[in-house]
Amino acid sequence: MTYVDVAGISVDTRHFIGGERVSSPDTYPNSSPIDGSFLGEIARGGQAEVDQAVDAARAAFPAWAAMTREQRGAILNRLADLVDERTDAFANVETMDNGALLRSHLRGVMPRVAHNLRFFAHYAITDLGHPDFDTRGHTNHVSWDPSGVAGLITPWNAPLMLATWKIGPALAAGDTIVLKPAEWTPLTASLFADLTLEAGMPAGVFNVVQGFGSEAGAALAAHPGLSRISFTGSVPTARKIARAAADNLTPVSFELGGKSPFIVLDDADLELAASLAVEQYDNAGQVCLSGTRLLVHERIAEAFVAAFTAKAALLRQGDPRDPLTDIGPQIHQQHFERVRGFVDRARSDGAEIAMGGTPNDDLGGLYFCPTLITSPAPNSEIVTQEVFGPVLTMQRFSTDDEAVRLANGTEFGLAAVVVSGDRSHSEAVTRQLVAGTIWVNCFFVRDLRAPFGGSRKSGIGREGGTWSFDFYADVKNTVVAPTGWKE
């Protein structure tokens, strides 16, 4: 079976290599987290398919790299238009595949896919550059040259949108691509691949190999034909990729896990703080940036809990295809058990479960109730390790120094949220936080011109704006002397 019907849309389940569909001897089953329904058998790639895809990408690279930025940008803009025309199809397929809210896919996620492509196409043409500068009469000129084949290994929580954070700048920079989507959510990458040819992208510029991380992912990470490897996912997987890439000295960019603090200072607007805190349950807690550690000043802690639980009680959990649903399922049974295990161990360690803490028995399946754990043991796994589910912890602090110590007290440094009613107070705290992104009195405001990435074990490198091109391109400086010319 090479095609499956998902929400009335036909999706090819084979790899996309060199502009053609390629089968594998083996397949693996893919099911919907919404209700466990079988979606189809997916081609299971490995070394042979990765070799074929890298060869195709290397063959396509010279011609793609030789195009002007404007020529590549025109193709990326046509591709973005095609995505926009098929927003409903992409949204419905991805909702079935990863269980995220259909309304979010329709209103924000899929439009962001097209926006990512347009942004980087435009940025390469109009904003990527550095003023020439003088050294003792010599002119320095900085340029960004295509680097080669980029291997992209992407996550399941927002599959296509997060993939295009990488696809957009890599293609705009003149690189060709081999994409390995997450094995649990391969379908929208396959739909996207079809559109690349329709947009006029030459065969081999964009390739997709499906399969497991231990097979296709490992083969891609270790491939000597890559010039770049970009990965979004977990710290343990990043370690494996880094070891494999090291043998070839392939540069890597990693966006990894987070255990971000959500700090509520004693001068905060409590209604705002509670509303923003409830937003941390977005996508059933499967968001790396979420401020899952609520750090609340002891003076307002009781009032905050009351406001938070009142708002959280209004959340509706259920089928993500229902426009009234606020929280859907976990992605997979394996991940569901991971989330439940964290909560069960915290309970056994004596933490108080103030809200939730169990599977949703009314829904069954992979639905876990939004959970708030208070008074967790200091330095316990529930406050130091990434759960990646609808599970928040709450700790109290009495001074700003204590809040900062708690906030910086994990191995991560991806993001942070600070809620405060005083500008100078918030600035004094944010200056001391270790994080790649900090939101003050807001959450999830993301501009592609800004750097995005993590400190500590939350990542290596930054994405966005020029930072993306610094990674996907070879940055070159040409120094021109004022003498020696014959004219």
Side-chain angles (χ1 to χ4, degrees), residues 20-104:
E20 298 179 350
R21 290 294 176 172
V22 175
S23 298
S24 287
D26 298 318
T27 63
Y28 69 94
N30 184 32
S31 299
S32 175
I34 298 174
D35 53 11
S37 58
F38 176 69
L39 297 179
E41 291 287 337
I42 309 299
R44 180 173 174 173
Q47 188 69 58
E49 291 82 3
V50 167
D51 287 345
Q52 186 178 351
V54 173
D55 286 348
R58 286 172 64 86
F61 172 71
W64 182 250
M67 286 185 179
T68 65
R69 294 178 184 178
E70 289 78 8
Q71 289 170 325
R72 292 194 294 264
I75 293 173
L76 287 173
N77 278 301
R78 284 199 294 272
L79 181 56
D81 291 343
L82 293 173
V83 171
D84 278 341
E85 291 171 9
R86 292 160 174 80
T87 293
D88 285 356
F90 277 108
N92 278 279
V93 169
E94 192 149 292
T95 291
M96 287 297 294
D97 208 14
N98 86 330
L101 301 184
L102 178 59
R103 73 165 191 248
S104 295

Side-chain angles (χ1 to χ4, degrees), residues 333-402:
Q333 185 67 42
Q334 179 181 326
H335 188 64
F336 178 87
E337 295 300 337
R338 170 185 164 85
V339 172
R340 177 160 61 180
F342 268 106
V343 175
D344 288 348
R345 290 190 296 275
R347 182 185 289 110
S348 298
D349 289 342
E352 178 184 347
I353 311 297
M355 185 182 77
T358 64
N360 189 322
D361 292 333
D362 292 335
L363 297 173
L366 303 182
Y367 296 83
F368 198 91
C369 293
T371 297
L372 176 64
I373 298 175
T374 57
S375 304
N379 301 316
S380 60
E381 66 167 11
I382 199 67
V383 296
T384 60
Q385 300 301 308
E386 186 175 40
V387 178
F388 218 60
V391 179
L392 308 182
T393 62
M394 194 187 96
Q395 297 167 279
R396 305 181 186 209
F397 64 87
S398 58
T399 67
D400 287 355
D401 286 344
E402 184 182 9

Side-chain angles (χ1 to χ4, degrees), residues 33 68 74 133 143 207 209 267 282 357 361 373 479 486:
T68 65
F133 55 97
S143 58
N207 307 272
V209 177
D267 51 24
D282 182 50
D361 292 333
I373 298 175
V479 183
K486 294 183 178 180

Side-chain angles (χ1 to χ4, degrees), residues 105-118:
H105 280 140
L106 289 169
R107 298 174 187 173
V109 177
M110 293 309 159
R112 191 59 181 263
V113 168
H115 173 69
N116 290 344
L117 299 173
R118 291 193 183 98

Side-chain angles (χ1 to χ4, degrees), residues 147-340:
S147 66
V149 180
L152 311 181
I153 303 175
T154 54
W156 46 258
N157 53 328
L160 190 56
M161 191 270 285
L162 292 179
T164 54
W165 274 8
K166 305 176 189 297
I167 292 167
L171 292 177
D175 292 358
T176 54
I177 286 173
V178 178
L179 171 67
K180 208 296 283 184
E183 55 262 35
W184 290 343
T185 54
L187 298 181
T188 47
S190 182
L191 284 178
F192 183 84
D194 289 331
L195 297 189
T196 62
L197 295 181
E198 190 175 342
M201 193 171 294
V205 170
F206 181 77
N207 307 272
V208 179
V209 177
Q210 300 158 158
F212 294 99
S214 59
E215 298 169 355
L220 186 60
H223 204 288
L226 298 185
S227 296
R228 299 290 188 271
I229 298 174
S230 182
F231 167 70
T232 298
S234 71
V235 171
T237 301
R239 289 194 178 103
K240 295 177 182 177
I241 293 172
R243 282 192 290 267
D247 284 342
N248 301 309
L249 291 180
T250 308
V252 298
S253 174
F254 291 157
E255 195 269 280
L256 307 177
K259 192 69 176 177
S260 300
F262 183 106
I263 304 171
V264 183
L265 300 176
D266 58 354
D267 51 24
D269 179 323
L270 277 180
E271 284 298 303
L272 174 63
S275 295
L276 290 173
V278 170
E279 287 185 35
Q280 309 312 301
Y281 290 128
D282 182 50
N283 202 20
Q286 299 168 141
V287 177
C288 59
L289 295 162
S290 291
T292 57
R293 292 184 294 134
L294 308 180
L295 308 178
V296 184
H297 194 283
E298 60 185 10
R299 187 175 66 81
I300 59 172
E302 294 302 324
F304 171 82
V305 171
F308 172 83
T309 53
K311 290 180 182 296
L314 300 177
L315 294 174
R316 177 173 173 174
Q317 189 169 33
D319 190 321
R321 294 167 294 188
D322 185 336
L324 298 179
T325 294
D326 300 304
I327 298 180
Q330 305 307 123
I331 181 68
H332 189 275
Q333 185 67 42
Q334 179 181 326
H335 188 64
F336 178 87
E337 295 300 337
R338 170 185 164 85
V339 172
R340 177 160 61 180

Side-chain angles (χ1 to χ4, degrees), residues 385-456:
Q385 300 301 308
E386 186 175 40
V387 178
F388 218 60
V391 179
L392 308 182
T393 62
M394 194 187 96
Q395 297 167 279
R396 305 181 186 209
F397 64 87
S398 58
T399 67
D400 287 355
D401 286 344
E402 184 182 9
V404 170
R405 178 180 59 79
L406 291 171
N408 292 339
T410 75
E411 64 181 2
F412 299 106
L414 186 57
V417 179
V418 175
V419 188
S420 171
D422 184 272
R423 191 181 301 272
S424 60
H425 189 189
S426 70
E427 290 173 351
V429 171
T430 58
R431 280 196 299 268
Q432 302 177 71
L433 299 180
V434 179
T437 300
I438 300 174
W439 288 286
V440 179
N441 294 338
C442 60
F443 177 60
F444 226 8
V445 179
R446 172 83 173 101
D447 192 310
L448 289 175
R449 294 171 295 182
F452 175 78
S455 303
R456 295 176 174 168

